[in-house]
Amino acid sequence: MLFSKILLVVALVLSVVYVNAVPDVCTISSDCSNTKYCSNGYCVSCRSHNDCGLNEFCSSNIYDLNEFGSCKKFDKDGDDCIAYDNTEKANLLTSNSTKCAYMYFNYAYGAAYPAGQLTVDYQGVCVSGKCRMCNYANGGSNTAEGKGSPRTCVFPGKYATVHSSSWSAGKYYEQPIQVWLAIFFCLIVLILAFHVMGFLKST
């Protein structure tokens, strides 16, 4: 009797967890709350990377409804990587530890073992053997519409908002003249302050 009650409680808990985990179904965005989109029949938090934080991406993994349409942190930054081509990345036998990409198992290609069974969820950039979210060398701007701010890529391969990028350490590293201008500006302000203080003391 006690055992059956325990099983009933566990079943109820699991059912609640499952209901909370699976996103709501929808036909159009008005079927969802005012903070979510309707994508592929489900209410989701994001449908573009610009719906997420600066160094996050929107997952397209439709086979995992806990992942699909949710913002995921790009935590491969700085990991060792190899610049695999698309065929190599999609191969199950290629080591995931050196892929600068987030992959998911694509059940639609189950008969193609081992090739073609993995699909890219987000593709990073392998720069100098290190995995980065974007390529700062070619600008790497992302100005699509979304809940988040327009962003641009700065050294060593991270996103910053368009307005804050000029003040980022990576931008100064790329353009050292801005560092010198900032130093000169501070020196000029100090010199002016000392002159003003000296003038006030003499009067």
Side-chain angles (χ1 to χ4, degrees), residues 24-33 36-43 47:
D24 295 331
V25 294
C26 59
T27 304
I28 56 177
S29 289
S30 60
D31 294 334
C32 307
S33 69
K36 294 191 174 184
Y37 304 103
C38 183
S39 180
N40 283 355
Y42 296 101
C43 295
R47 60 182 177 190

Side-chain angles (χ1 to χ4, degrees), residues 30-202:
S30 60
D31 294 334
C32 307
S33 69
N34 58 4
T35 60
K36 294 191 174 184
Y37 304 103
C38 183
S39 180
N40 283 355
Y42 296 101
C43 295
V44 297
S45 298
C46 64
R47 60 182 177 190
S48 80
H49 301 317
N50 269 22
D51 286 318
C52 301
L54 285 178
N55 292 293
E56 298 178 340
F57 64 93
C58 185
S59 176
S60 61
N61 184 2
I62 190 64
Y63 298 106
D64 186 344
L65 296 180
N66 290 319
E67 299 280 334
F68 178 65
S70 64
C71 294
K72 314 300 293 184
K73 186 172 178 59
F74 186 85
D75 55 12
K76 286 181 174 285
D77 183 64
D79 290 355
D80 293 335
C81 62
I82 294 175
Y84 294 116
D85 61 29
N86 290 336
T87 302
E88 291 169 324
K89 285 196 291 283
N91 195 318
L92 279 170
L93 301 182
T94 304
S95 173
N96 282 325
S97 63
T98 49
K99 291 178 184 176
C100 188
Y102 287 82
M103 315 292 294
Y104 61 84
F105 191 86
N106 191 337
Y107 294 92
Y109 294 93
Y113 179 87
Q117 289 194 312
L118 296 178
T119 296
V120 174
D121 199 7
Y122 184 84
Q123 176 63 60
V125 182
C126 194
V127 180
S128 301
K130 297 295 181 182
C131 185
R132 305 297 180 189
M133 188 166 197
C134 55
N135 189 349
Y136 67 91
N138 63 10
S141 294
N142 189 344
T143 57
E145 291 183 316
K147 299 176 185 177
S149 303
R151 54 207 65 186
T152 186
C153 193
V154 296
F155 181 87
K158 295 183 177 181
Y159 279 116
T161 65
V162 173
H163 296 299
S164 67
S165 62
S166 297
W167 298 96
S168 68
K171 199 71 171 180
Y172 284 129
Y173 183 86
E174 292 178 74
Q175 301 177 10
I177 190 170
Q178 294 186 15
V179 178
W180 289 109
L181 288 173
I183 293 172
F184 288 144
F185 176 77
C186 292
L187 289 174
I188 291 170
V189 170
L190 288 173
I191 291 169
L192 286 174
F194 282 127
H195 278 292
V196 170
M197 290 173 63
F199 174 76
L200 292 174
K201 285 182 179 179
S202 63

